[in-house]
């Protein structure tokens, strides 16, 4: 699961529609060099940018910064006065993200909070309710991140979540044992699978959300909160 997942069609899309600037390219190279190529693809970054331009969120929460690749796609598209609060568990990543975002000239629009998101999220609640939440973090955590989101996202706000196809396992009614899973893919554990099944089911509730999952290389869910 990498940006990383390449194919002639993805390359075609990326070349035509999802041009990366110098900093975005540097972020991707850094992650690839450090074997941490688990960020969104350029075409998903571009989609995030378009969603931000369409929705015009003033306050965005991102759960899972890594080194700020998706953060930068969104930061470039923010409306005037907009701000992104981004949560990153690992200190080294958070530091690197700040460095990249500073170089890109957007650090005045982004606050990176280091540590466990469930610890950091309460610290930003005073700035809510929020207009958009983007979840791209540890998979077992998705339901609890959605719980938080449901308490702090405004009505009409946008929920976006990455990896909701869960490496080709989310659609299966039973999770195959690790040895029967595709060896070329990340092994999916039961707690991740259960969490993603619950998350997708909840986001599909038409009484609460207007939503869809876009079949990107690992699934990108987009939902508008109805109530
Ligand atoms: Mg991801």
């Amino acid at each position: 699961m990498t940006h990383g997942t390449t194919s002639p069609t993805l390359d075609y899309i990326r070349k035509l529609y999802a041009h990366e600037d110098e900093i975005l390219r540097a972020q991707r190279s850094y992650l690839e060099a450090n074997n941490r190529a688990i960020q969104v693809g350029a075409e998903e970054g571009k989609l995030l940018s378009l969603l931000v331009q369409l929705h015009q969120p003033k306050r965005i929460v991102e759960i899972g910064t890594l080194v700020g690749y998706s953060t930068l796609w969104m930061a470039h598209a923010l409306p005037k006065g907009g701000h992104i609060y981004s949560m990153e568990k690992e200190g080294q990543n958070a530091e690197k993200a700040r460095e990249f975002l500073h170089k890109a000239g957007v650090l005045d629009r982004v606050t990176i909070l280091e540590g466990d998101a469930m610890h950091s999220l309460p610290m930003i609640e005073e700035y809510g309710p929020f207009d958009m939440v983007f979840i791209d973090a540890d998979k077992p955590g998705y339901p609890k991140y959605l719980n938080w989101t449901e308490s702090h996202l405004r009505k009409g706000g946008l929920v976006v979540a990455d990896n909701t196809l869960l490496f080709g396992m989310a659609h299966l009614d039973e999770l195959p044992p690790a040895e029967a899973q595709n060896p070329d893919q990340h092994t999916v554990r039961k707690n991740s699978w259960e969490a993603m099944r619950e998350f997708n089911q909840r986001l599909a509730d038409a009484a609460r959300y207007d939503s869809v999952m876009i079949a990107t290389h690992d699934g990108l869910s987009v939902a508008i909160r109805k109530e």
Side-chain angles (χ1 to χ4, degrees), residues 5-224:
T5 303
T6 52
S7 69
T9 47
L10 275 177
D11 288 343
Y12 177 72
I13 293 168
R14 285 169 185 160
K15 208 192 273 179
L16 264 186
Y17 294 102
H19 177 75
E20 292 171 324
D21 65 16
E22 194 188 327
I23 306 290
L24 288 165
R25 278 201 305 275
Q27 287 172 308
R28 185 153 51 77
S29 306
Y30 172 83
L31 287 168
E32 281 168 5
N34 289 278
N35 246 335
R36 293 298 305 273
I38 53 169
Q39 74 209 20
V40 300
E43 69 289 355
E44 291 170 305
K46 182 62 181 288
L47 179 59
L48 284 167
S49 158
L50 289 172
L51 288 171
V52 169
Q53 291 178 64
L54 288 165
H55 191 63
Q56 298 277 304
K58 287 273 188 186
R59 290 180 183 81
I60 300 177
V61 178
E62 177 179 53
I63 305 175
T65 317
L66 204 54
V67 299
Y69 180 85
S70 45
T71 324
L72 184 52
W73 275 105
M74 294 192 287
H76 279 320
L78 271 182
K80 201 167 184 281
H83 201 88
I84 303 174
Y85 300 90
S86 189
M87 317 284 145
E88 172 52 42
K89 192 163 191 168
E90 291 176 31
Q92 201 186 336
N93 289 339
E95 202 176 307
K96 205 68 205 169
R98 285 191 198 100
E99 191 185 309
F100 280 126
L101 297 170
H102 174 70
K103 271 190 203 154
V106 301
L107 201 50
D108 57 331
R109 278 166 262 169
V110 181
T111 303
I112 312 269
L113 290 100
E114 246 174 85
D116 191 299
M118 291 317 286
H119 178 72
S120 304
L121 287 166
M123 296 183 203
I124 61 160
E125 286 171 5
E126 62 181 296
Y127 306 112
F130 298 93
D131 306 301
M132 174 175 173
V133 177
F134 174 48
I135 303 170
D136 185 16
D138 62 292
K139 309 317 162 203
Y142 273 41
K144 67 186 178 197
Y145 301 142
L146 188 58
N147 291 343
W148 185 88
T149 298
E150 288 179 344
S151 302
H152 300 282
L153 180 76
R154 71 167 167 86
K155 186 179 167 185
L158 200 59
V159 185
V160 182
D162 188 33
N163 304 111
T164 46
L165 280 173
L166 195 63
F167 314 103
M169 297 293 159
H171 71 287
L172 300 174
D173 289 330
E174 262 178 61
L175 180 69
E179 61 275 14
Q181 294 182 23
N182 181 350
D184 297 332
Q185 285 270 27
H186 180 90
T187 303
V188 172
R189 293 204 194 95
K190 193 155 193 224
N191 59 345
S192 298
W193 178 79
E194 283 171 350
M196 200 59 81
R197 293 281 287 187
E198 177 193 332
F199 181 87
N200 289 338
Q201 196 68 48
R202 285 170 63 183
L203 224 54
D205 180 354
R208 309 191 76 182
Y209 297 102
D210 224 338
S211 54
V212 75
M213 190 197 293
I214 302 165
T216 59
H217 66 267
D218 200 31
L220 191 82
S221 295
V222 180
I224 292 174

